Amino acid sequence: LGEGRSYLGFGTGKSHEGVIKFGFSPVKGKANHPIENCHVAKFMQIQQHKLGLFSVYDGHLGDIISSYLKKHLFANILNK
């Protein structure tokens, strides 16, 4: 993404209370390095429960940790 450029993402899910809608739009700031942030907006079915995780991980000059969290945090939480 170039400076000031952004993109949009959105989706829906369901809970026992109805439909859940979400959206996001990361925007690259003025720093002279690529966006290293990651975001998660997803649902998982566990037995009879549908669970959602919505999170943003700030990369701070590297995406190693933010990418790891994006891939593994939800599963790790559910396995505890």
Side-chain angles (χ1 to χ4, degrees):
L1 295 174
E3 184 175 326
R5 305 247 347 239
S6 65
Y7 62 92
L8 300 175
F10 57 90
T12 61
K14 281 187 151 183
S15 79
H16 65 279
E17 296 180 9
V19 174
I20 298 170
K21 295 180 182 181
F22 62 89
F24 56 89
S25 178
V27 176
K28 181 168 176 8
K30 296 179 181 182
N32 192 19
H33 56 81
I35 292 179
E36 295 136 345
N37 302 342
C38 293
H39 64 275
V40 174
K42 70 180 194 177
F43 294 90
M44 291 181 105
Q45 187 76 34
I46 305 297
Q47 297 171 1
Q48 69 272 21
H49 303 285
K50 191 161 197 174
L51 305 174
L53 176 69
F54 303 91
S55 57
V56 175
Y57 311 113
D58 192 343
H60 287 285
L61 297 176
D63 68 349
I64 293 169
I65 301 300
S66 58
S67 293
Y68 176 86
L69 292 171
K70 178 179 181 174
K71 292 177 187 171
H72 301 288
L73 183 63
F74 201 16
N76 288 344
I77 291 170
L78 296 174
N79 288 328
K80 294 297 174 187

